[in-house]
Amino acid sequence: MKREFDVIVWGATGFTGRLVAEHLDRRHGAAGDLRWALGGRNQAKLESVRKSLGDSAKDLPIVIGESLDLDSMQSVAKKAKVICSTVGPYAKYGSPIVQACAENGTDYCDLTGEIHWMQKMIDAYSTAAASTGARLVHTCGFDCIPSDFGTWFIQKEIQERHGVIAPAVKMRVQAFRGGASGGTIASMLNMMDEAKKDPSVMKAMNHPYAINPEGERSGPDGPESFRPYHDKDFGEWVAPFVMAGVDTKVVRRTNALLGYEYGRAFRYNEGMLMGSGPIGAMKAGATTAGIGSGMALATLSPVRSLFAQRMPAPGDGPSPETQAAGFFDLRFFAQHPTDPARSLHARVTGDRDPGYGATSRMLGEAAVCLAQDDLEDKGGFWTPASLGGEKLIERLTQHAGMSFEIVTRAHR
Ligand SMILES: NC(=O)c1ccc[n+]([C@@H]2O[C@H](COP(=O)([O-])OP(=O)(O)OC[C@H]3O[C@@H](n4cnc5c(N)ncnc54)[C@H](OP(=O)(O)O)[C@@H]3O)[C@@H](O)[C@H]2O)c1
């Protein structure tokens, strides 16, 4: 595939897009082993991003386009091997570039967590992508790389150590620190608005296998639990995790795309660890109630406008200091099918705030992995772990501040 660029960072003027550009500039410079460009709709803003990258980036090319115009997106997609998109809300602005990539054999990765939109894209463009060889990978940020690769990693470990696959894996959030950007808040609010208008959006969000390949949208897992409970495998109380609705579906799609390497009876869930004893129980109850009432309130217009005034606007997000002080620490449990003593615990960490400092490096590495690594070449909608496998996990640990290790439960 001969193209002018290896990668276009599409949406390089946005909060996350700028961070992806900074990461690629640090890793590859403008004249290194990666031919890449800054892309977006506004020449002056793109020039200012290029300037902010410093002298090393002064010759970095700029590509202009309008996300809602299909002809414009066709011409952008034809220029690159990979489009790395941070233009969101994706359900609002993202469909033409996905269509253009699928039809032109251009690889694509993004940061969406909008399940109903992913389902729509998979159903509409899988056939085109299969015929052109375009490989499209949604959810290449904190949503859902740690969950997807954490499960892939612990399944590989239990297989290598004990010769079995785990019929069930759980992810538990031990701790994290970070903030939200205006773009993420806009995407969440847009999803709530769409769910209010269109019942099929809510149906997709509540369906545990909503983004499995067509014809394979069933399995043993039910909808996400929204109650606190005691988890004996961790010895702690658990509250719901807000990203679980996206992460769990991506992990299940990975299993399907890998030909059910985790088994057809495989089950997966996520939650947040709240501690043990009566204090843990109280914290789990209060956190569950807080999340539930927060989500209910966010659908009310007066609360929405108050929220909009206090939260970052599109283009804004956590400061560099908040990003640097951020981190995440996730724990995985893989159940041995017959011998509980040989079940495994794993720890997956990241050394910056999950949403931006960590996410921008995960997405940048996913884009370069698509452009440069020797991966499966079948076109279609992949997940990060099903396509990236060994190559991407190596990049994540070497260049995105992530770690994957087998630990004992007591490990802190
Ligand atoms: N999965 C994760 O872990 C994760 C983490 C972080 C962010 N995200 C998602 O990533 C997305 C971006 O977030 P963000 O905070 O970076 O958003 P943002 O700062 O608002 O940036 C949005 C970008 O989209 C561009 N854009 C908007 N409409 C366009 C159009 N019609 N044509 C061309 N470009 C257009 C904007 O260009 P202008 O500058 O010209 O307006 C800007 O570059 C959101 O959907 C967010 O939810 C996901």
Side-chain angles (χ1 to χ4, degrees), residues 10-18 39-42 45-46 65-69 73 85-93 110-114 139-145 180-188 243 313-317 354-356 359-360 362-363:
W10 184 242
T13 56
F15 187 77
T16 320
R18 281 194 305 257
R41 60 178 164 180
N42 184 320
K45 267 175 116 173
L46 286 161
E66 164 52 56
S67 279
L68 293 172
D69 176 346
M73 290 303 94
S85 176
T86 59
V87 174
Y90 292 90
K92 215 167 169 179
Y93 303 124
D110 73 20
L111 292 178
T112 187
E114 295 144 273
T139 64
C140 293
F142 184 63
D143 246 8
C144 303
I145 278 191
S181 72
T184 296
I185 291 162
S187 294
M188 285 167 63
M243 312 289 223
D316 285 338
Y356 305 95
T359 281
S360 56
M362 291 178 208
L363 179 64

Side-chain angles (χ1 to χ4, degrees), residues 211-230:
I211 55 168
N212 267 30
E214 273 186 296
E216 297 183 50
R217 290 186 180 156
S218 62
D221 275 324
E224 297 320 304
S225 153
F226 204 80
R227 59 178 178 79
Y229 58 93
H230 189 263

Side-chain angles (χ1 to χ4, degrees), residues 33 282 286 291 364:
D33 63 329
M282 234 163 58
I291 295 172

